[in-house]
C-alpha cells in the first residue's frame, strides 16, 4: 500500500510540474502577443484584427482590456468577458504590473485556464491587460492525467495556492455534484 501511495504521489508531482511548464509556455505566448506595439492603438477594428492574427500563435480566446477592465478588443466574444473573476484578475494585473496566476473557468465548454499579462503604458497612454483563455484540450491535461489512472471511484482536484477548488477530474461514487 505504501508503494502504491508513493507512485500516486510521484505521478501527481510529475503531472503538476508538466502542467506548470505548459502554463508557462502559454503565458510566454501571451507575453509575445502583448509586446506588439499595435495593441497600444485606439482603433477597435485594428486591435481586433491584430488579435485575430495573433490567434495563429495562441490557441484560445484573446481579449484586450483597458486598465479599468473595459473591453477594447476581442478575438471572439467569450462568455466570461465581463465576469467578476476576470475583472478581479485584470485589477490584480493592473495593481501589480505583473502577470496574474492562472484562473480556471469551468463554465467554458472544455474548461478554460485564463491567463493575464500587463501591457505597459506608452507615452501618455494607459496600461492595458491582455487576457487569454486556453482550453484543457490545448493544454493536453487529459494526457497529463492519463498516467494517474483515474478510476470510477477516484477524484483528482486542482487547488489554488490559497486552497480554493479550481478544477475537478474523475468522480467518487456518491460524491456531491
Amino acid at each position: 500500500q505504501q508503494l502504491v501511495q508513493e507512485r500516486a504521489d510521484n505521478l501527481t508531482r510529475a503531472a503538476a510540474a508538466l502542467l506548470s511548464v505548459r502554463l508557462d509556455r502559454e503565458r510566454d505566448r501571451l507575453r509575445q502577443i502583448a509586446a506588439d506595439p499595435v495593441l497600444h492603438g485606439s482603433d477597435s477594428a485594428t486591435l481586433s484584427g491584430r488579435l485575430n492574427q495573433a490567434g495563429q500563435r495562441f490557441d484560445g480566446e484573446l481579449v484586450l482590456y483597458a486598465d479599468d477592465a473595459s473591453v477594447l478588443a476581442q478575438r471572439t466574444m467569450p462568455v466570461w468577458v465581463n465576469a467578476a473573476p476576470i475583472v478581479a484578475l485584470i485589477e490584480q494585473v493592473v495593481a501589480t504590473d505583473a502577470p496574474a496566476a492562472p484562473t480556471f473557468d469551468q463554465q467554458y465548454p472544455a474548461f478554460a485556464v485564463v491567463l493575464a499579462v500587463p501591457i505597459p503604458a506608452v507615452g501618455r497612454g494607459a496600461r492595458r491587460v491582455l487576457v487569454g483563455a486556453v482550453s484543457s484540450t490545448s493544454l493536453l491535461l487529459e494526457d497529463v492525467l492519463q498516467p494517474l489512472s483515474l478510476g470510477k471511484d477516484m477524484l483528482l482536484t486542482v487547488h489554488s495556492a490559497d486552497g480554493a477548488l479550481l478544477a475537478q477530474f474523475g468522480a467518487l461514487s456518491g460524491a456531491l455534484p
Side-chain angles (χ1 to χ4, degrees), residues 111-128:
F111 134 9
V113 179
V114 182
L115 305 165
V117 296
I119 300 176
V122 172
R124 294 183 177 165
R127 286 182 292 181
R128 295 179 175 189

Side-chain angles (χ1 to χ4, degrees), residues 56-125:
Q56 297 170 4
R57 291 181 289 160
F58 188 83
D59 183 27
E61 306 286 353
L62 290 169
V63 182
L64 180 64
Y65 291 89
D67 62 356
D68 65 357
S70 61
V71 175
L72 298 172
Q74 67 274 341
R75 183 171 168 213
T76 61
M77 186 53 109
V79 296
W80 48 262
V81 73
N82 291 315
I86 302 303
V87 171
L89 190 70
I90 293 163
E91 290 171 349
Q92 176 189 353
V93 171
V94 168
T96 62
D97 202 30
T103 295
F104 294 80
D105 182 354
Q106 295 183 19
Q107 295 178 6
Y108 192 71
F111 134 9
V113 179
V114 182
L115 305 165
V117 296
I119 300 176
V122 172
R124 294 183 177 165

Side-chain angles (χ1 to χ4, degrees), residues 120-143:
V122 172
R124 294 183 177 165
R127 286 182 292 181
R128 295 179 175 189
V129 177
L130 183 62
V131 174
V134 293
S135 69
S136 62
T137 305
S138 68
L139 287 173
L140 303 173
L141 290 181
E142 290 78 10
D143 294 343

Side-chain angles (χ1 to χ4, degrees), residues 7 11 15 140-151 156:
R7 177 184 177 273
L11 285 171
L140 303 173
L141 290 181
E142 290 78 10
D143 294 343
V144 172
L145 299 174
Q146 179 69 30
L148 297 177
S149 303
L150 296 177
L156 175 70

